[in-house]
Amino acid sequence: VVDDIVVCGAEPLFMTDYIATGKVVPERIAAIVGGIAKGCELAGVALVGGETAEHPGLLDPDEYDVAGAATGVVEHDEVLGPDRVAAGDVVIALASSGLHSNGYSLARKVLLEEAKLALDARPEGLGRPLVDALLEPTRIYVKDTLALMKAVKLKGLSHITGSGIPGNLPRCLPEGTRAVLREGAWKRPPIFDLIQRLGSVERAEMYDTFNMGLGLIAVVAPEDVAVALALLEARGVEAYEVGQVEAGSGEATAVITP
């Protein structure tokens, strides 16, 4: 949620949450809110309030649903948009921690239903129990992105969520351009290779469903690439120069070359 806000150039300020459950179990609610509070701390925002609702009959006692909303602020003339990006600009990307919040339906179908893997299984190439890879928390990029904004002139930002790189990156590109990314330019978490291999999932579907290792993508001028990557490295963020913006035709697109 907070990374959806920061991509327009805004600084997130606070969050509210909503928890619906079949039966309020205080310990469970405390654990959920504690996780949200930890995320807020990582993002540098305040959790200012929320709502908890009990819905017996609609939800089973052990079921719960969580929603959140964030508010941020940005000066009107500092809002990031496609008008700032041009052919020749460079695409850099911040590594994801794993699935983040997208693609779980496909991951569950392939790994648990079709391959019938146990959650405590250690599949070849994964290097840890499957459950740990699936429950890896989403990386929060707010503080790193705000630091990047102060160091260089960011031209565009894209949070890679549902519909992956092809569905999200073009949102920060102007008409008549395309972003061309080199697949070998970044390191992919092994969970994606496991899903693709066990499910015989087409490459295009993988990119349309998952972030494939890139959680946040930034577009900068060529002269700002070194400064941006050095700053991110100093902050302990794994980042890569993954491609560039080229002239195209029609609607903006993102292409990933093998």
Side-chain angles (χ1 to χ4, degrees):
V1 173
V2 288
D3 286 329
D4 283 340
I5 283 182
V6 80
V7 294
C8 72
E11 179 181 1
L13 300 177
F14 59 84
M15 281 199 69
T16 56
D17 63 44
Y18 170 77
I19 304 169
T21 181
K23 178 178 176 58
V24 171
V25 179
E27 295 81 7
R28 179 182 295 147
I29 300 299
I32 294 171
V33 175
I36 296 171
K38 182 178 180 181
C40 288
E41 183 180 355
L42 292 172
V45 302
L47 181 62
V48 297
E51 171 77 10
T52 301
E54 191 173 63
H55 291 291
L58 179 63
L59 296 170
D60 288 339
D62 290 332
E63 290 183 328
Y64 58 89
D65 184 38
V66 181
T71 300
V73 62
V74 59
E75 295 293 338
H76 184 270
D77 59 356
E78 294 178 2
V79 174
L80 296 179
D83 56 299
R84 297 176 179 235
V85 178
D89 287 336
V90 177
V91 180
I92 62 175
L94 285 64
S96 72
S97 54
L99 294 180
H100 286 191
S101 57
N102 299 102
Y104 276 90
S105 296
L106 180 56
R108 186 167 55 246
K109 178 182 177 183
V110 169
L111 301 175
L112 305 184
E113 297 177 14
E114 295 179 355
K116 300 188 183 306
L117 294 176
L119 287 174
D120 61 355
R122 290 177 173 265
E124 182 181 354
L126 196 59
R128 57 177 172 164
L130 178 62
V131 66
D132 291 345
L134 292 177
L135 295 182
E136 182 70 40
T138 297
R139 185 166 289 162
I140 295 174
Y141 300 98
V142 171
K143 292 182 179 179
D144 301 312
T145 306
L146 293 176
L148 201 56
M149 287 179 187
K150 294 179 180 178
V152 301
K153 184 178 180 180
L154 286 180
K155 294 195 166 193
L157 284 170
S158 178
H159 186 203
I160 308 304
T161 55
S163 72
I165 298 168
N168 287 281
L169 183 52
R171 296 178 183 178
C172 74
L173 305 176
E175 186 174 350
T177 64
R178 66 175 193 159
V180 180
L181 279 59
R182 304 178 302 278
E183 189 174 46
W186 70 90
K187 195 161 55 177
R188 201 158 70 187
I191 186 68
F192 299 118
D193 294 323
L194 182 68
I195 294 168
Q196 187 170 20
R197 175 168 54 85
L198 294 183
S200 298
V201 183
E202 295 288 338
R203 178 177 178 272
E205 185 176 1
M206 291 293 297
Y207 274 100
D208 286 339
T209 305
F210 302 107
N211 64 60
M212 297 300 281
L214 304 183
L216 191 80
I217 292 178
V219 181
V220 299
E223 60 270 20
D224 286 332
V225 172
V227 173
L229 292 177
L231 179 141
L232 292 169
E233 181 181 8
R235 295 182 62 86
V237 180
E238 193 171 0
Y240 320 90
E241 180 182 340
V242 297
Q244 63 182 23
V245 179
E246 298 180 353
S249 60
E251 292 185 3
T253 58
V255 179
I256 301 98
T257 60

